[in-house]
Amino acid sequence: YHTSLRTSPGQLTFGRDMVIPATYLANWRHIHSRRRKNILYNNARENRSRIEHDYKVGDWVYLLNKDVRRKLAPIKKGPFRIAIVHANATVTIQRSARVTERINIRRIFPAHVH
């Protein structure tokens, strides 16, 4: 049973119930509108807990460590200074004096360094 479709995949594929001999006629417009409503609701629910932040050149950020790590290994690297802010949700951070890296803003979070 699929939550947003409110039917089983077998009912949609074969047009009948797989357990009892009953036909099933799918109302695709209704299924599409219900699925769209669920997507919008879940998106709004996720965005309620988001904190808006605009990154600027010179800000300090931590980089999330997504590598396979041991139990007590740190989950973040840094802090690093932002060198360039790009329009496509990426920033270039200054890793060292000569090394820069362009990364997505989903992989960083602000460091409150004074």
Side-chain angles (χ1 to χ4, degrees):
Y1 186 77
H2 196 274
T3 309
S4 65
L5 299 177
R6 294 192 180 163
T7 59
S8 68
Q11 286 175 327
L12 291 174
T13 305
F14 300 113
R16 67 179 204 86
D17 193 77
M18 302 305 290
V19 179
I20 58 174
T23 59
Y24 177 80
L25 183 62
N27 183 351
W28 289 104
R29 279 200 184 115
H30 184 65
I31 289 172
H32 179 70
S33 67
R34 187 173 42 233
R35 179 185 277 174
R36 182 75 180 143
K37 187 176 89 174
N38 282 345
I39 288 170
L40 293 175
Y41 172 76
N42 289 333
N43 193 10
R45 185 173 49 92
E46 279 291 321
N47 287 336
R48 271 184 285 206
S49 63
R50 286 222 168 110
I51 298 171
E52 192 69 28
H53 187 81
D54 291 327
Y55 293 101
K56 297 178 286 300
V57 173
D59 285 352
W60 291 89
V61 294
Y62 286 111
L63 178 62
L64 289 175
N65 188 7
K66 295 288 186 179
D67 299 333
V68 176
R69 55 188 179 85
R70 301 244 181 228
K71 272 188 204 179
L72 300 176
I75 60 170
K76 60 188 178 185
K77 296 176 186 175
F80 301 109
R81 185 181 294 269
I82 294 180
I84 304 169
V85 177
H86 304 281
N88 61 348
T90 58
V91 296
T92 300
I93 60 171
Q94 190 75 39
R95 283 218 177 232
S96 65
R98 289 194 261 171
V99 178
T100 60
E101 181 181 5
R102 188 172 179 162
I103 56 173
N104 194 294
I105 61 171
R106 291 179 182 260
R107 293 187 53 208
I108 61 174
F109 59 95
H112 301 290
V113 178
H114 298 293

